[in-house]
Each structure stands twice: as C-alpha cells, then as structure tokens.
Amino acid sequence: MRLLLAEDDAMVGAALRKGLQQEGHSVDWVRDGEAADRALRDGAYDLLVLDLGLPRRDGLQVLAELRQRDTPLPVIITTARDQLDDRVRGLDLGADDYLVKPFDLDELSARIRAVARRYAGHARPQLHHQGVSLDPATHEVQREGQSLALSAREFALLQALMERPQAVLSRAQLEERLYGWDEEVASNAVEVYIHHLRKKLGEGYIRNVRGLGYTLGRGS
Ligand code: CA
C-alpha cells in the first residue's frame, strides 16, 4: 500500500518507515502537520498513520480537515500514553483506530491490514483471482495451490492489481504503489516487474490495455 506517515520524532519515524517498507509498503514520511496536510491534498494514499502531537499543525486539526473534505482515507492515530482525551477526540473526528506509544511494528502492521480490509469491504483477508491467491498478512502468493516466490515490489504490484481486478491501473498509479518520494523510479521499472510477474503467473494473467495501463480483468 501507499502510506503517508506523519511523525515528528526522527527516531520513531525512521524506524517506522524502514519497517513498513520492509513489509512491502511504499511510505512517504512528513514531520509536521502542515506538510501532512499538503501531502494529503496532493497525493493519492491508501492509509495515513498520524501522530497527534505534531508541530506546526496539530494531528487532530489535520484529521478534522481531512474529514471535512470528505476523504474516505483510512487513518490510524498514534499518541503518547497520557493522551486519552486526544484518542477519544481522534476517534470522534473520524480516525479508524489508534495505537499508544510505544507500540510494536507487528501490531501496527496488523491494524493497517484490518483497517484496509474494512475499507475494501473484504471480510476475508486473502485476495483471490483466477487461481491465484495473495495473503497480505503472510505475504504468501499461491498459484493453483503452489507457493510462488515474489520480491517485495512484485508482491506490492500484484496486490494493487488484485485489490481491484476489473480496474485498469496506469503505469503512474502502479509506480505510486511501488515507491516513496525518496526513491528513484527507473523509467521502465513497472514493465520489468510486470515481466517478472508474468513469468511466474503465466503470460495471460496480467493484461496490457493499450495506452491505459494494466489489468487482471478479462477483455470485453
Ligand atoms: Ca509527536
């Protein structure tokens, strides 16, 4: 998923970004509330991890403005242990879940999956499409019951396609899922990963739609 991480603590932020990237997410990290607000207006994110104690603009204010714009973005807030009032206000303002610092990366990852699932309307955690199953929790991909070894980026790309199998995703949309701001995007990266995925999944599994992008759906 493409995540926005709003966290002003340099050590916490760096650790979270690294851990979430290792989970296969693309992470943009902002360190104050104004930058978070700007990123949310400009960027297409799948989920926001929002520290409430942010400089320049409070996390609650960022959240309130996001919800005023009626943006259906999943939000997980993080707070210090003594900020009970803020947690309650955050939930009332439209946060989907919260974590009290310090928390384990495993717990954050599990909550990200749970919240994302609720938004996608999936009761079951696994994605299935034409003989291929993908488990966001275990990162396991199977084809006809056989496990496939995918790199983190191949996995991220396949997950993006499987979440909306009938949609056509452009190269730019797929690049957004693969990379954060701090990473260089090779111009043919998406094509290279698609090529690898086709070798593993079968040539016909991912279709090109000329001039538009890629899809798993069948042609009409
Ligand atoms: Ca803080």
Side-chain angles (χ1 to χ4, degrees):
M1 287 196 283
R2 184 167 167 84
L3 308 181
L4 182 66
L5 169 65
E7 171 60 64
D8 60 315
D9 184 300
M11 269 172 56
V12 173
L16 287 179
R17 178 172 63 176
K18 185 160 174 237
L20 291 168
Q21 283 175 338
Q22 281 169 351
E23 295 265 310
H25 298 298
S26 127
V27 182
D28 289 342
W29 175 19
V30 291
R31 296 153 200 243
D32 67 66
E34 277 178 18
D37 195 56
R38 253 196 324 275
L40 288 166
R41 287 170 195 272
D42 295 344
Y45 294 98
D46 301 306
L47 189 137
L48 166 66
V49 178
L50 177 66
D51 176 30
L52 291 188
L54 288 176
R56 304 187 76 168
R57 190 171 302 174
D58 188 63
L60 286 172
Q61 205 182 332
V62 173
L63 178 61
E65 284 169 25
L66 176 74
R67 291 313 189 211
Q68 268 163 24
R69 295 197 293 277
D70 221 9
T71 310
L73 180 74
V75 179
I76 297 174
I77 54 178
T78 67
T79 66
R81 191 160 296 282
D82 55 1
Q83 292 178 306
L84 174 65
D85 287 356
D86 281 355
R87 289 201 288 283
V88 172
R89 275 200 66 206
L91 292 170
D92 284 342
L93 282 172
D96 297 280
D97 205 347
Y98 68 85
L99 281 167
V100 177
K101 291 177 179 175
F103 51 83
D104 281 349
L105 184 67
D106 283 350
E107 184 173 10
L108 174 60
S109 297
R111 291 188 188 220
I112 286 173
R113 289 192 296 270
V115 167
R117 219 154 51 221
R118 286 207 296 277
Y119 267 73
H122 298 302
R124 60 182 183 178
Q126 291 190 350
L127 302 173
H128 298 268
H129 184 77
Q130 289 179 10
V132 176
S133 68
L134 176 148
D135 190 327
T138 62
H139 277 206
E140 198 177 18
V141 176
Q142 292 194 340
R143 181 183 178 215
E144 313 295 355
Q146 303 276 12
S147 288
L148 298 178
L150 300 189
S151 72
R153 285 182 173 159
E154 289 165 10
F155 183 91
L157 209 150
L158 180 62
Q159 185 176 356
L161 290 164
M162 286 184 77
E163 282 168 358
R164 296 166 62 204
Q166 302 307 321
V168 177
L169 301 182
S170 69
R171 194 172 82 174
Q173 285 174 311
L174 292 171
E175 280 173 355
E176 287 211 331
R177 286 289 290 262
L178 292 178
Y179 298 96
W181 290 332
D182 55 338
E183 293 170 282
E184 197 81 5
V185 182
S187 63
N188 64 342
V190 167
E191 284 84 351
V192 170
Y193 292 124
I194 295 274
H195 175 73
H196 291 163
L197 282 171
R198 281 179 171 151
K199 276 193 177 164
K200 295 173 183 179
L201 298 167
E203 283 299 320
Y205 193 73
I206 299 170
R207 279 201 312 124
N208 262 28
V209 181
R210 191 185 290 267
L212 293 177
Y214 298 94
T215 182
L216 303 185
R218 296 210 176 278
S220 49

